Amino acid sequence: MPIHMIITLVYAGVVFGVLGYGLWLATRLVDAQRRTADALVAIAARLDAGGA
């Protein structure tokens, strides 16, 4: 196997690995944001119920 093919395969593996990690991180961040928003809504509802 020529060396340039090995370099190309390694490069492609790194690129796809970084893309996959970026997608995983993005889904984790969106999930965390959704949970934070849910918690804030729950706190606001509790404060609203307590104040009324």
Side-chain angles (χ1 to χ4, degrees):
M1 182 181 269
I3 190 70
H4 65 86
M5 283 183 71
I6 296 172
I7 292 171
T8 303
L9 286 173
V10 170
Y11 184 71
V14 169
V15 168
F16 281 113
V18 169
L19 284 174
Y21 179 70
L23 280 172
W24 174 81
L25 198 62
T27 57
R28 288 288 308 269
L29 287 173
V30 167
D31 191 41
Q33 279 182 334
R34 192 174 301 129
R35 258 186 267 131
T36 304
D38 288 348
L40 288 175
V41 167
I43 291 170
R46 198 174 301 149
L47 287 175
D48 194 38

